[in-house]
Amino acid sequence: MARATTESTDTLEALAASREVLVTCGSGGVGKTTTAAAIAAMAAVHLGGKVLVLTVDPARRLATAMGIERFGNTETRIPAEAFTVAGLEPRGQLFAAMLDTKASWDDLVVRHAPDATTRDAILGNPLYANISGRFVQSHDYIAMERLYDIHASGRYDLIVVDTPPTRNAIDFLAAPDRMAEFFSSRLLRWLTAPYQSKVFTLASKPFMTVADRILGSQFLADIAEFFMLFQTMHDGFVERADAVRALLSDRRTSFVVVSTLETAPVAETRFFIDALASERLDLGAIVLNKVLPPYLRSTNATRTARLLSDHARPVAEAVLGRLGDDAIDVVDVERVLGQIADSFLDYQVVAKREGELRKDLASFADVVASVPYLTDDVHDLGGLIEIGSHLWH
Ligand SMILES: Nc1ncnc2c1ncn2[C@@H]1O[C@H](COP(=O)(O)OP(=O)(O)OP(=O)(O)O)[C@@H](O)[C@H]1O
Ligand SMILES: [Mg+2]
């Protein structure tokens, strides 16, 4: 399916139709994974083509909701029955994959190692297994790397990427650059130099001698071997980091920032929006998730709640006759009605605050979509589509 790349977009549907990569990001727990899955499901149903959601930490429930046992590192097609059961007839196909950091690192080594001996030496290095899972930013980097790889394969019309719950939402944007920096770093060269030259340099000799005594020479040799082998992949890595970076900046890629309307996530969202702008990355849409329904902000509703709160007694008397239960006392009805009116007014205070925070954010993107707080957790494709339908138009 051909997708245009330049048309203006004022809905998430138009955005999804005109982009090849959408990246959902935002602070922890705001609904990034859910939004990514919902956008992908909507695109598969309404736009057609092949759509992949690349999730990072899908709740098991989400996998079940999509009709598969669990997501794996390989892309899995969501069975047609999962749509049929939800009463949907998708025009396209939906696939899902999970990011398995270890498996993706292995893949990367296999691809970038200059020869089979180096490849096996890296994969067999005792430190590799440990380090590949714990590398600083390893997860973020691998997410971007995997995205690049899948995009380059041309297998999908749209890839929706979920991002990890980072402490700092912009960490993963810097991951490719940081990885390239790491490979070019002086620290790495300094660590491996003595082993590369087999002659200790004057600068590192005292350190190496002490470290040898404390850590044991085998340990140090393992570290050095690991980094040395890794350095053989330097050029491949730096090239890829640049390519990943280019894909993120490409016009076919947009970011969807997800936020709830609470003070802390909104502050982080503002920060994230600035970071995207300064990196010249496209902010395609802002999704305001778990928001209170708009009727809470209606002035007539406020008036009604105030009247009810102030005149709970006469209303209770009127209602009592209709309840048709002699055991109920008018005082109880008055209490219940007054309490309902008061909590409605409390919710309104929160809704008003949400309205102010919404105004804060709305001016930053052409597309701003709101998804109400749903009482039911998403447990099937129908649930995802319900969230998606709030996003779409
Ligand atoms: N609109 C909504 N209404 C009610 N519950 C929701 C809504 N959106 C998401 N949730 C629920 O909130 C929880 C967190 O959502 P999700 O996992 O998508 O967030 P996340 O941003 O990916 O979190 P993390 O930062 O941990 O990866 C889930 O249980 C999800 O089902
Ligand atoms: Mg998540």
Side-chain angles (χ1 to χ4, degrees), residues 290-303:
K290 307 188 192 183
V291 302
L292 290 170
Y295 65 75
L296 276 172
R297 297 196 302 279
S298 119
T299 37
N300 267 346
T302 316
R303 257 187 54 216

Side-chain angles (χ1 to χ4, degrees), residues 27-34 57 165 289-290 371-374 377 387:
S27 47
V30 290
K32 299 178 290 295
T33 305
T34 309
D57 58 339
N289 193 25
K290 307 188 192 183
V371 180
Y373 195 100
L374 304 175
D377 217 9
I387 288 197

Side-chain angles (χ1 to χ4, degrees), residues 164-180:
T166 40
R167 256 173 306 118
N168 179 342
I170 61 163
D171 274 356
F172 72 91
L173 290 181
D177 285 347
R178 210 167 297 150
M179 191 58 76

Side-chain angles (χ1 to χ4, degrees), residues 187-240:
L187 170 70
L188 193 55
R189 257 180 288 151
W190 190 74
L191 258 177
T192 56
Y195 290 87
Q196 274 170 344
S197 65
K198 302 275 182 231
V199 180
F200 278 46
T201 62
L202 276 180
S204 58
K205 188 173 177 186
F207 167 77
M208 287 300 173
T209 317
V210 174
D212 241 29
R213 228 180 286 143
I214 298 170
L215 299 170
S217 53
Q218 187 52 45
F219 182 69
L220 267 189
D222 279 349
I223 294 183
E225 184 205 55
F226 171 73
F227 282 120
M228 229 161 71
L229 291 168
F230 241 70
Q231 273 217 318
T232 62
M233 306 196 296
H234 168 271
D235 292 350
F237 262 86
V238 172
E239 212 173 274
R240 278 299 275 258

Side-chain angles (χ1 to χ4, degrees), residues 84-287:
T84 321
V85 167
L88 300 161
E89 267 185 53
R91 297 177 59 189
Q93 302 172 1
L94 178 62
F95 294 77
M98 190 189 79
L99 194 69
D100 177 337
T101 310
K102 173 79 174 83
S104 301
W105 267 110
D106 291 354
D107 230 39
L108 209 62
V109 170
V110 169
R111 251 181 296 125
H112 288 310
D115 52 64
T117 320
T118 315
R119 177 196 65 202
D120 295 342
I122 294 176
L123 295 177
N125 184 288
L127 286 176
Y128 169 75
N130 214 314
I131 290 179
S132 59
R134 287 169 212 221
F135 234 131
V136 189
Q137 309 302 335
S138 143
H139 204 79
D140 296 343
Y141 174 73
I142 217 77
M144 293 299 122
E145 160 74 34
R146 181 94 194 281
L147 165 64
Y148 174 80
D149 196 39
I150 294 173
H151 181 261
S153 79
R155 285 195 295 276
Y156 299 98
D157 298 288
L158 175 67
I159 305 170
V160 188
V161 191
D162 177 27
T163 55
T166 40
R167 256 173 306 118
N168 179 342
I170 61 163
D171 274 356
F172 72 91
L173 290 181
D177 285 347
R178 210 167 297 150
M179 191 58 76
E181 248 168 51
F182 171 75
F183 274 100
S184 317
S185 74
R186 281 171 59 194
L187 170 70
L188 193 55
R189 257 180 288 151
W190 190 74
L191 258 177
T192 56
Y195 290 87
Q196 274 170 344
S197 65
K198 302 275 182 231
V199 180
F200 278 46
T201 62
L202 276 180
S204 58
K205 188 173 177 186
F207 167 77
M208 287 300 173
T209 317
V210 174
D212 241 29
R213 228 180 286 143
I214 298 170
L215 299 170
S217 53
Q218 187 52 45
F219 182 69
L220 267 189
D222 279 349
I223 294 183
E225 184 205 55
F226 171 73
F227 282 120
M228 229 161 71
L229 291 168
F230 241 70
Q231 273 217 318
T232 62
M233 306 196 296
H234 168 271
D235 292 350
F237 262 86
V238 172
E239 212 173 274
R240 278 299 275 258
D242 288 347
V244 170
R245 176 80 219 171
L247 172 62
L248 293 182
S249 320
D250 195 285
R251 322 173 63 150
R252 292 167 297 178
T253 301
S254 284
F255 288 79
V256 175
V257 180
V258 185
S259 184
T260 53
L261 287 172
E262 296 159 294
T263 313
V266 166
E268 200 169 336
T269 301
R270 286 289 302 271
F271 180 66
F272 194 74
I273 290 169
D274 288 347
L276 286 175
S278 69
E279 302 276 332
R280 295 175 183 279
L281 298 169
D282 182 55
L283 170 62
I286 296 176
V287 169

